[in-house]
Amino acid sequence: MEITVAEALVRCLEMEDVDLVFGYPGGSILPVYDALYNSENIKHILTRHEQGAAHAASGYSRATGKVAVCMSTSGPGATNLVTGIANAYMDSIPMVCITGQVSTLQVGTDAFQEVDITGITMPIVKHSYLLKDPKQLPSVIKKAFHIASTGRPGPVVIDLPRDVQDVKINFEYPKQTELSGYNPTYKGHPSQVAKAAKLIKNSKRPVIYAGGGVINSGASETLLQLAETISAPVVNTLMGLGTIPGDHPLSLGMLGLHGARYANLAVTNCDLLIAVGARFDDRVTGKIAAFAPDAEVIHIDIDPAEIGKNVISHLPIVGDTKTVLQALLKKIEPQENKGWFEQVQNWKKEHPITYSRRTENLKPQRVVERVYQYTNGQSVVATDVGQHQMWAVQYYKFNRPRGLVTSGGLGCMGFGLPGAIGAQIGRPNESVVLISGDGSFQMSMNELATAAEQNLPLKIFILNNHRLGMVRQLQEFYCDKRYMAVDFQFNLDFAALAELYGMRGYKVTSEDELEEVLPKVFDQPGAVIVNCLIDEQENVMPMVRAGKGIGE
Amino acid sequence: MLHTVAVLVENNPGVLARVAGLFSRRGFNIDSLAVGRTDDPAISRMTIVVEGDHRTLEQVTKQLHKLVDVIKINDITEEAHVERELVMIKVIADRTTKLEIMQIADVFRAKIVDFGPKTLTLEATGTEDKVNALEEALRPYSIKELMRTGKIAMLRGAKYTSLK
């Protein structure tokens, strides 16, 4: 039977088990929306900005592990997706982004709402397609989902010209994809795995350094098994938090720039660093020469290009982290490394992550700590980017993978609210908390309308210091306290804003008020915004100074 | 050090932009790049001459591999191979210099492909060295126009870098 390309697209999405699309319509994607009108299986979430659609899709994928779909029209619709695509690319999030395009005859003529979106996104996609041959639609969609979700995941863009969407084709969804240049390695090389086992056996002070690759591959349990078998403490990247329960004795939390001192000391003093699904980002390593200076490095990653990119690894293993760790577990024997374990526990006692509660002002750390206690660490926590993000990950202990939804590599302010929306839609029966800042929140607060429309019971805590706190902190340390463009002269009442969107709103200025409000927030079914007026001068500590090693 | 890398790619629209974009954004320096289709019209072959040490080359290769359209990559620098570049040079030639230029062409086994009233156009193929030497030899005669294709290269003997 012949159907239009737009109808075929919807059928393809259904074949890929897509039941949700985040998007924003427009002229160049009209036929696709018209086809969605008839679909009983696909729900469309209308955001208030295309960037919100991309971020929500990304949040959905981060919270569920599924491939998320977002769509927009051509031109400005497509360019508004770009930040969300970059965000997904940097954090290896599987996403399929469908954009309308002007008709093929108009492509290249600077037509109304024309931009070269495959060109613009080239450096921030895993792959992209500009579909000119209507017959190719099914195979392109098949390939897009395959590419986005396998190997190291990432976003794929499909640009659909307006006229192509209307062409009738004979629909048949291919069962397989043929991509001669794409064949990710899953199984680690056995001899490399054997060598790794030997290195582990000979090590006295091992540390496991686990990143988002562990979460992507569903390897958290296997990683925990490895850690417990060889008694190795685990440090996490921002993206890797939750791979080992945050309250586990072997968990040292986040390492790097704002990581725990004990995590950084463990890495600096280890004799074997087992990097799993992590990429030695500059926020993690600090000065590279001083990063794990005495350690042999085993680097397990599915992306061979990450191996040797920033840090030379003594033993690379290319493969899926779960598959490799399972193979490795078969080759190793229990180790105690008692002295090392005690040393690390001592560092934990000597250098805890802490803050001063002596002042009158409400401390942001206190807010996070209490939210953590109040939710038993069971909420899915979304964050924006800045000081509040670091406080959130320092004081909320993530006890399971996909418990944290945050923008890591891109560090993208404005991700929080739409990210939380995506996470809540993906996990409708779980508590989703958004911890944001007054700067970040104002970048995407238009999406409150989306949250209200979808009846999402988001619990939103805005750690409000009336300024761009992280930049202020940087200016304090690196610009002689010459504060430039970081203080907001106008501050809005976020609690009142909540009421406008039919949510409950509270203002909290002290610990006492916080205690009063917490039960009200979590004991009611609806969405809440808590405007937390925090100590305006509070800094994120610890902090490794620019150019220094993380152990200094 | 210069490396010669043979890259087989799917002959899809935009593949050249993907490869070139990758080199610029990762800070790799392309010395020359030649591209054309192979005997299989669905597959093109690029010969890329890239500058860098061993570690840079490792990254170039790995990053290229990440492009879905890239099928196969061979760094053939260290292997026995034949390499050629085509050059066309238009040089000012009056009655007194024409013969000299034709003698130079003879030495380099260059062909005269156009004979104008005031110019000669030469065509030559050879290694980069030879092409450089020809250019130097003709420089005193005032070169009006010169273009080179960039190097193409093929392994010697039974070895090959195709998919067969």
Side-chain angles (χ1 to χ4, degrees):
Chain A
M1 195 188 75
E2 289 208 327
I3 56 174
T4 67
V5 164
E7 288 163 344
L9 168 64
V10 173
R11 292 272 290 276
C12 293
L13 295 179
E14 289 171 345
M15 300 292 276
E16 292 291 339
D17 288 328
V18 172
D19 51 10
L20 203 61
V21 168
F22 299 87
Y24 206 105
S28 294
I29 197 156
L30 272 186
V32 172
Y33 273 78
D34 194 51
L36 277 173
Y37 186 86
N38 292 327
S39 171
E40 286 169 9
N41 304 319
I42 300 178
K43 184 181 176 190
H44 179 271
I45 307 287
L46 177 64
T47 55
R48 292 300 183 268
H49 188 290
E50 289 87 351
Q51 188 186 105
H55 282 331
S58 165
Y60 173 84
S61 176
R62 287 164 200 257
T64 62
K66 293 187 204 163
V67 182
V69 179
C70 61
M71 56 174 67
S72 78
T73 191
S74 62
T79 53
N80 280 345
L81 292 178
V82 169
T83 303
I85 296 170
N87 190 34
Y89 180 74
M90 292 292 274
D91 290 341
S92 308
I93 305 301
M95 236 160 70
V96 171
C97 315
I98 297 160
T99 53
Q101 181 56 280
V102 299
S103 291
T104 39
L105 286 175
Q106 289 182 307
V107 167
T109 65
D110 302 318
F112 177 66
Q113 293 195 329
E114 180 191 359
V115 299
D116 170 16
I117 196 63
T118 49
I120 287 173
T121 55
M122 206 166 266
I124 52 166
V125 293
K126 190 165 169 190
H127 197 50
S128 54
Y129 293 95
L130 166 57
L131 189 85
K132 286 186 172 163
D133 176 3
K135 289 195 298 295
Q136 294 296 318
L137 186 271
S139 86
V140 161
I141 301 292
K142 182 83 191 172
K143 286 175 189 166
F145 275 83
H146 177 67
I147 292 168
S149 60
T150 53
R152 180 179 181 176
V156 177
V157 166
I158 302 164
D159 201 18
L160 287 179
R162 173 74 173 76
D163 55 338
V164 171
Q165 297 170 38
D166 279 330
V167 177
K168 291 209 164 178
I169 58 167
N170 236 326
F171 179 73
E172 195 185 342
Y173 200 57
K175 287 195 178 64
Q176 281 173 332
T177 51
E178 275 176 43
L179 287 160
S180 44
Y182 179 75
N183 195 12
T185 309
Y186 280 81
K187 200 167 160 281
H189 199 282
S191 76
Q192 294 294 90
V193 174
K195 280 184 203 160
K198 208 169 164 192
L199 280 179
I200 289 171
K201 193 179 172 200
N202 293 334
S203 82
K204 298 272 177 286
R205 305 188 305 278
V207 165
I208 296 170
Y209 152 52
V214 176
I215 291 174
N216 276 340
S217 122
S220 302
E221 279 173 36
T222 322
L223 184 96
L224 182 59
Q225 250 179 296
L226 172 71
E228 287 178 340
T229 309
I230 62 170
S231 312
V234 178
V235 296
N236 280 131
T237 66
L238 179 63
M239 298 309 297
L241 287 167
T243 50
I244 173 170
D247 52 13
H248 192 284
L250 287 171
S251 168
L252 302 185
M254 192 172 73
L255 81 161
L257 180 68
H258 290 302
R261 177 96 179 120
Y262 47 84
N264 289 343
L265 280 171
V267 170
T268 307
N269 291 285
C270 72
D271 66 354
L272 177 69
L273 187 72
I274 309 168
V276 193
R279 60 186 178 89
F280 296 87
D281 176 77
D282 54 287
R283 298 287 129 141
V284 158
T285 60
K287 188 168 80 184
I288 293 224
F291 183 76
D294 305 327
E296 303 253 18
V297 175
I298 299 173
H299 192 175
I300 303 168
D301 205 293
I302 197 158
D303 181 0
E306 285 305 336
I307 286 165
K309 188 182 82 179
N310 295 333
V311 164
I312 293 168
S313 68
H314 305 85
L315 186 75
I317 308 179
V318 176
D320 167 55
T321 54
K322 187 172 180 179
T323 315
V324 172
L325 289 178
Q326 281 170 339
L328 185 58
L329 272 174
K330 288 190 191 132
K331 299 248 177 236
I332 55 171
E333 290 179 0
Q335 261 171 255
E336 278 201 358
N337 304 318
K338 228 173 170 183
W340 176 234
F341 180 77
E342 277 164 17
Q343 169 70 268
V344 171
Q345 297 306 317
N346 282 341
W347 281 328
K348 256 185 170 179
K349 278 189 211 113
E350 285 166 34
H351 309 282
I353 288 197
T354 184
Y355 62 97
S356 151
R357 284 175 65 191
R358 270 172 296 176
T359 57
E360 287 297 294
N361 299 328
L362 178 63
K363 292 289 180 178
Q365 299 94 331
R366 182 68 185 165
V367 179
V368 177
E369 202 168 53
R370 289 296 294 135
V371 170
Y372 165 64
Q373 289 161 352
Y374 211 88
T375 57
N376 294 318
Q378 291 304 304
S379 286
V380 175
V381 176
T383 81
D384 262 296
V385 169
Q387 287 186 313
H388 71 272
Q389 180 189 31
M390 292 298 105
W391 289 318
V393 298
Q394 286 177 337
Y395 292 90
Y396 201 102
K397 291 186 170 47
F398 296 95
N399 286 327
R400 49 191 181 148
R402 302 196 183 281
L404 171 66
V405 173
T406 197
S407 167
L410 191 66
C412 178
M413 289 173 70
F415 168 73
L417 179 58
I421 288 171
Q424 183 74 80
I425 290 172
R427 287 158 75 167
N429 301 318
E430 292 183 58
S431 153
V432 174
V433 170
L434 167 63
I435 296 175
S436 186
D438 52 320
S440 287
F441 191 75
Q442 289 185 75
M443 279 200 181
S444 284
M445 67 184 182
N446 49 323
E447 299 302 341
L448 282 173
T450 312
E453 198 161 83
Q454 302 297 330
N455 289 312
L456 304 177
L458 296 175
K459 312 300 182 190
I460 301 170
F461 291 82
I462 298 173
L463 305 185
N464 186 348
N465 51 12
H466 295 155
R467 67 202 64 220
L468 300 173
M470 187 58 101
V471 186
R472 189 207 62 80
Q473 177 169 348
L474 293 173
Q475 289 177 349
E476 177 183 334
F477 284 93
Y478 302 126
C479 304
D480 264 343
K481 300 190 179 175
R482 288 153 52 86
Y483 298 123
M484 180 63 201
V486 291
D487 291 342
F488 291 131
Q489 302 299 319
F490 176 83
N491 293 293
L492 79 160
D493 180 349
F494 290 107
L497 181 74
E499 306 284 342
L500 287 177
Y501 285 97
M503 303 171 177
R504 296 305 303 275
Y506 300 101
K507 185 167 88 174
V508 164
T509 61
S510 66
E511 286 195 16
D512 289 345
E513 287 176 15
L514 178 66
E515 293 309 317
E516 250 174 69
V517 158
L518 279 175
K520 293 184 196 161
V521 171
F522 287 102
D523 295 351
Q524 65 172 304
V528 180
I529 296 179
V530 187
N531 186 15
C532 306
L533 300 183
I534 57 160
D535 185 342
E536 298 185 351
Q537 303 303 317
E538 191 66 20
N539 282 332
V540 177
M541 288 294 155
M543 169 184 177
V544 175
R545 303 300 169 90
K548 300 278 186 205
I550 60 169
E552 286 177 53
Chain B
M1 177 184 171
L2 290 177
H3 289 254
T4 305
V5 185
V7 185
L8 289 174
V9 299
E10 306 258 9
N11 190 8
N12 289 337
V15 64
L16 181 59
R18 283 182 210 275
V19 170
L22 173 79
F23 274 79
S24 73
R25 75 174 173 273
R26 296 270 175 193
F28 306 137
N29 288 325
I30 298 182
D31 194 70
S32 78
L33 188 156
V35 55
R37 72 163 181 81
T38 61
D39 53 324
D40 177 350
I43 295 173
S44 292
R45 176 155 158 165
M46 296 181 178
T47 308
I48 306 174
V49 180
V50 55
E51 200 187 326
D53 56 15
H54 176 72
R55 209 169 154 207
T56 311
L57 250 289
E58 192 182 310
Q59 265 297 307
V60 168
T61 311
K62 286 172 167 179
Q63 293 294 348
L64 276 173
H65 258 304
K66 284 181 75 168
L67 297 178
V68 172
D69 284 337
V70 169
I71 304 166
K72 195 177 171 190
I73 304 160
N74 272 21
D75 182 354
I76 61 171
T77 317
E78 305 288 329
E79 299 195 55
H81 64 270
V82 188
E83 56 178 64
R84 287 293 179 271
E85 200 177 348
L86 171 67
V87 64
M88 288 169 78
I89 307 173
K90 184 175 286 184
V91 61
I92 300 284
D94 57 26
R95 225 179 291 162
T96 55
T97 55
K98 248 174 201 158
L99 271 176
E100 287 175 34
I101 293 169
M102 288 166 75
Q103 276 171 348
I104 292 172
D106 226 26
V107 172
F108 286 92
R109 288 186 203 144
K111 278 193 233 157
I112 310 290
V113 289
D114 187 50
F115 206 108
K118 286 177 186 156
T119 59
L120 281 176
T121 302
L122 288 75
E123 167 211 290
T125 58
T127 61
E128 199 187 348
D129 269 357
K130 174 182 157 181
V131 173
N132 287 347
L134 174 61
E135 183 185 337
E136 284 312 308
L138 291 174
R139 198 177 289 286
Y141 300 93
S142 183
I143 295 171
K144 291 304 281 181
E145 206 177 343
L146 178 149
M147 59 188 140
R148 317 169 60 142
T149 55
K151 185 201 283 186
I152 59 171
M154 193 175 270
L155 291 174
R156 284 189 184 274
K159 285 185 174 174
Y160 52 81
T161 61
S162 71
L163 296 176
K164 284 157 194 166

